[in-house]
Amino acid sequence: MSTPERLIESTRELLWERGYVGTSPKAIQERAGVGQGSMYHHFTGKPDLALAAIQRSADQRMALAEEQFSAPGTPVERIAGYLRRERDVLRGCPVGRLTQDPDVVADPALRAPVAETFRHLRGRLAAVLTEGQALGELDPTLDVEDTAATVAAVIQGGYVLARAEGSVEPFHHAVEGVVALLAARALR
């Protein structure tokens, strides 16, 4: 792995574990196994490196979601697959956790990939739900935008509940609850 890649991956992991404030340049350098000069040779500073790491996490989350949304099956089955896919629940969402970091939220550049990830996710969910309506699988009166936002909120809220209790059970209950709600709006 190249030095910039090690720096980005180390920063990505540290942001997930500690947040922006808790991720010092020294911690990044130690995790990446590089010196200060190497870090500043490739990135102008911590904000520049953090932006690259946040974008990487955002891209990975969107790609994982796309795998489920593009998988075989009915639209409801694909959304259920997305909801039920393997996750490191107790670590939380590497993108969603950044919304709790005041320095990320206050910086438009750092916040942008976070916001774009959730916009993209809601858009893809709405598109799959619309497909379900067009195929006659879902109730045509279902508001796809509201439902997409609900599904995204259930995932993020499920992470919070699980972390608060130190158990994956609240997450799984939230997921199964929203799957049941979608199934209740299915026409077949």
Side-chain angles (χ1 to χ4, degrees), residues 99-166:
T99 65
Q100 299 302 311
D101 194 311
D103 287 354
V104 171
V105 173
D107 184 325
L110 295 177
R111 188 179 64 243
V114 175
E116 177 53 33
T117 300
F118 290 115
R119 269 192 303 276
H120 177 80
L121 176 60
R122 289 189 317 270
R124 285 298 289 131
L125 283 163
V128 175
L129 292 165
T130 299
E131 179 185 346
Q133 288 175 322
L135 293 171
E137 179 187 8
L138 286 170
D139 181 345
T141 65
L142 180 72
D143 186 308
V144 297
E145 299 295 329
D146 289 350
T147 304
T150 299
V151 171
V154 164
I155 291 290
Q156 293 306 309
Y159 281 125
V160 170
L161 295 174
R163 286 176 55 82
E165 291 194 28

Side-chain angles (χ1 to χ4, degrees), residues 7 10-11 14 18 22-34 39:
L7 286 162
S10 296
T11 303
L14 286 165
R18 304 177 183 183
T23 299
S24 69
K26 183 174 176 67
I28 294 167
Q29 293 160 21
E30 286 175 2
R31 173 93 41 117
V34 302
M39 181 175 154

